[in-house]
């Protein structure tokens, strides 16, 4: 028995899948697909972790500011502080106060028109704060919808390559096509790995953004009601 025959006879077949080896053995097209999906997955997790930290921080700031606002003797002075400038609820209140100041700067002013403009100013600021919070969530939606199809493209290409090997080697043995099919299916698995967390996070974060937006809207409504009462008493 030659040394090569001996090595072939004594070689131990792999007992489990090795993702790294599957990547190394894959066709160049499948490798590009896998790299793209891995990069998308890493970026998705960066957005997920960043959003979780940011949303928690904004919720704390909003809650603290709103508590201070209703208990402060001079809310306008509180709004102008440096701490309040980084708080979404403070910017909502500031938008209303700024509009009130502009609308009442003349000798005469229309109370109903002022009320309407103040409400619109705060509603517009609430929408702007929500858009700012949800700025990068579209990437999660895109990854969740596109990644499975990108992985499927890698799978189709890999299977096509396996059939080409059958034709070139004139051998339809499972041992010939199995490695290529494994590499191909690995692309679909990576696509799902990138897509599933992105979809779950996107749906959950949309709910979070809606909750924060609703909270700011309720705060804006209370501020508007307070301004309206003060205008009636003026």
């Amino acid at each position: 028995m030659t040394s090569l025959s001996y090595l072939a006879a004594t070689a131990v077949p792999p007992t489990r899948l090795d993702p790294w080896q599957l990547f190394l053995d894959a066709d160049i097209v499948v490798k590009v697909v896998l790299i793209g999906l891995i990069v998308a997955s890493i970026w998705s997790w960066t957005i997920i972790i960043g959003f979780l930290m940011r949303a928690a921080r904004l919720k704390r700031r909003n809650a603290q500011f709103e508590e201070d606002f209703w208990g402060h003797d001079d809310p306008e002075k509180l709004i102008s502080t440096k701490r309040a400038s980084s708080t979404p609820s403070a910017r909502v209140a500031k938008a209303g106060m700024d509009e009130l100041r502009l609308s009442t700067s003349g000798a005469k002013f229309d109370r109903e028109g002022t009320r309407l403009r103040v409400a619109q100013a705060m509603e517009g600021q609430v929408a702007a704060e929500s858009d700012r919070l949800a700025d990068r969530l579209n990437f999660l939606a895109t990854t969740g919808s596109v990644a499975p199809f990108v992985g499927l493209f890698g799978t189709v290409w890999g299977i096509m390559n396996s059939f080409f090997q059958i034709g070139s080697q004139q051998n339809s043995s499972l041992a010939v096509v199995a490695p290529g099919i494994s590499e191909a299916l690995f692309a679909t698995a990576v696509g799902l790995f990138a897509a599933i967390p992105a979809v779950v996070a996107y749906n959950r974060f949309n709910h979070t953004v809606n909750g924060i937006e609703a909270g700011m809207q309720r705060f804006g409504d209370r501020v508007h009601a307070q301004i309206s009462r003060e205008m009636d008493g003026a």
Side-chain angles (χ1 to χ4, degrees):
M1 179 182 293
T2 65
S3 58
L4 290 178
S5 301
Y6 175 77
L7 290 174
T10 59
V12 178
T15 57
R16 61 183 178 85
L17 288 175
D18 184 351
W20 178 245
Q21 193 60 47
L22 287 175
F23 173 79
L24 293 178
D25 294 339
D27 181 82
I28 183 62
V29 174
V30 179
K31 282 182 179 178
V32 170
V33 168
L34 291 173
I35 291 172
L37 291 172
I38 291 170
V39 170
S41 179
I42 292 173
W43 185 240
S44 294
W45 279 105
T46 301
I47 293 174
I48 290 170
I49 295 171
F51 182 90
L52 288 171
M53 297 173 62
R54 185 182 180 191
R57 183 171 63 250
L58 292 182
K59 285 181 180 179
R60 288 194 304 268
R61 287 180 178 175
N62 282 350
Q64 186 62 54
F65 173 80
E66 291 172 21
E67 180 180 349
D68 294 343
F69 182 86
W70 296 117
H72 204 277
D73 295 333
D74 188 359
E76 290 192 49
K77 184 177 180 181
L78 178 64
I79 291 172
S80 64
T81 61
K82 183 178 180 180
R83 176 179 67 85
S85 65
S86 61
T87 304
S89 289
R91 292 193 286 265
V92 172
K94 184 177 185 300
M97 294 295 187
D98 289 346
E99 182 57 43
L100 175 65
R101 191 177 300 110
L102 290 173
S103 296
T104 58
S105 59
K108 294 183 179 180
F109 67 94
D110 178 10
R111 280 184 168 83
E112 291 304 318
T114 298
R115 288 189 179 96
L116 180 60
R117 287 190 292 271
V118 169
Q120 289 176 339
M122 289 193 291
E123 288 174 2
Q125 189 63 38
V126 168
E129 296 298 333
S130 300
D131 290 343
R132 186 179 295 113
L133 179 59
D135 183 35
R136 293 191 292 178
L137 296 187
N138 283 338
F139 182 83
L140 297 181
T142 301
T143 299
S145 60
V146 172
F149 294 101
V150 175
L152 183 60
F153 169 76
T155 296
V156 171
W157 184 273
I159 292 176
M160 288 170 57
N161 189 51
S162 296
F163 279 114
F164 176 79
Q165 295 298 326
I166 292 175
S168 63
Q169 298 184 24
Q170 299 295 316
N171 187 349
S172 60
S173 170
L174 187 61
V176 174
V177 298
I181 293 176
S182 297
E183 297 156 13
L185 293 175
F186 183 53
T188 296
V190 174
L192 294 175
F193 175 80
I196 292 173
V199 171
V200 173
Y202 178 77
N203 291 332
R204 178 59 188 170
F205 292 166
N206 261 339
H207 177 74
T208 301
V209 171
N210 291 337
I212 294 175
E213 181 180 8
M216 290 188 293
Q217 187 64 57
R218 288 191 296 270
F219 174 68
D221 290 342
R222 291 185 64 190
V223 173
H224 182 265
Q226 180 65 28
I227 291 174
S228 183
R229 283 192 295 268
E230 292 178 357
M231 289 173 59
D232 289 339

